[in-house]
Amino acid sequence: MQKKKNIAILGSTGSIGRQALDVIKANPDRFEVRALTANNSLELLIKQACEFQPDMVAIANEKHYSRLKTALADQPIKVFAGDEAIAQIAELNSIDIVLTAMVGYAGLKPTIHAVKAGKIIALANKETLVVAGEIIKELAQKHNSAILPVDSEHSAIFQCLTGEGDNPINKIILTASGGPFRNKTMDKLKHVTSKQALIHPNWNMGAKITIDSATMMNKGFEVIEAKWLFGLKSEQIEVLVHPQSIIHSMVEFADGSIKAQLGMPDMRLPIQYAFTYPDRLKTDFPKVDFLKYPELTFEKPDTTRFRNLALAYQAMKIGGNMPCILNAANEVVVSAFLKNKIGFLRMSDVIEKTMQKVGFIKKPAYEDYVATDAEARKITIESL
Ligand code: MN
């Protein structure tokens, strides 16, 4: 009998957090929920706490503290609120694995705490690596913290690399569904609404990442994420549109051989793999039936219509705090787009403008990222 893995889920009420709890629920002999945190979704957090009985819960929005405390008053669960509490939960002794499933820049601080505490990080918050990949990587080495990808593409690459040791690779091929607007002309893209953008053809995800998928910023972020996770050069990372989302990504090795990981688009699989690595557990998830997918097709990504992908490559090549600027600007424009305050195509224009305006720092420290994030948000809001 294996020792149960003790898990903290940061962002348990979001799409990844909820699916992680499904995985845990299906394997009660393997996993134990020790801590749950949420940003704002009070009612769902209460419900999850009652069901999974963690040692503690925390809510980022301190306004909800007293209601959370009252709701869990007769449970043996400690209750906290605020960003600082969430950062501290990430370093608790009782926890083996921290799943970072919160949205956006907010993931950076708690992830740094978890890495410094030497935890296994099941990384779902890609913005952490986009913003501060260099710092996270250095800290992870120093504190012996393993960072296991939850993002489906990176999980695919990770699975392809398992067992390959130091075998040199030529490149990785990140697949992209192309999102809901893959076939829309420039003219049509000008008028698409957030409602249309929120309908993803293959993946069931939260609002922010679904918009990022529609603009292909998500793929741009994943390129940067891959650079840090796998120690690659920019020119070793290729993006290939694959509308069926059956091949989750591929690795081409030095001898020209290509390995791919395939499966139905279901986030529970990469979540579970990060929890059980290097083991695999039986699941009842839907399986691929190739006769239902007689055609797996591929296209070159179009960076004229989806400029965010080009902007992300540019930010990665420039390095320093540029990806942090890219991310901050993107968070602001996506939130404006969700409120119908900015058009689809204008999002890239505003991001590009912010990238030109914010002060560049070649070798940023943590405090520089915090300052850059704040400055970039301010400048982006001004150019909306
Ligand atoms: Mn992904």
Side-chain angles (χ1 to χ4, degrees), residues 2 5 30 272-282:
Q2 232 171 335
K5 286 181 176 164
R30 287 267 184 166
Q272 174 171 303
Y273 190 71
F275 284 173
T276 61
Y277 170 81
D279 300 336
R280 291 185 185 273
L281 279 190
K282 195 172 165 53

Side-chain angles (χ1 to χ4, degrees), residues 126 151-154 203 205 209 218-219 222 225 267:
K126 68 191 82 188
D151 211 345
S152 60
E153 295 79 0
H154 305 75
W203 293 97
M205 306 177 290
I209 186 172
N218 182 53
K219 208 50 55 180
E222 290 180 352
E225 183 185 10
M267 285 309 297

Side-chain angles (χ1 to χ4, degrees), residues 1 5 28 31 38 47 62 64 88 128 160 181 199 210 214 233 256 262 290 297 300 312 332 342 381:
M1 182 68 200
K5 286 181 176 164
F31 309 121
K47 199 170 153 258
E62 298 181 25
H64 295 313
Q88 282 170 13
T128 296
C160 293
F181 304 145
I199 305 165
T210 304
K233 298 194 189 89
L262 290 75
F290 281 107
T297 61
K300 193 176 149 76
V332 173
I342 184 174
I381 289 167

Side-chain angles (χ1 to χ4, degrees), residues 6-18:
N6 298 299
I7 299 177
I9 302 181
L10 309 186
S12 64
T13 57
S15 174
I16 294 287
R18 295 193 310 265

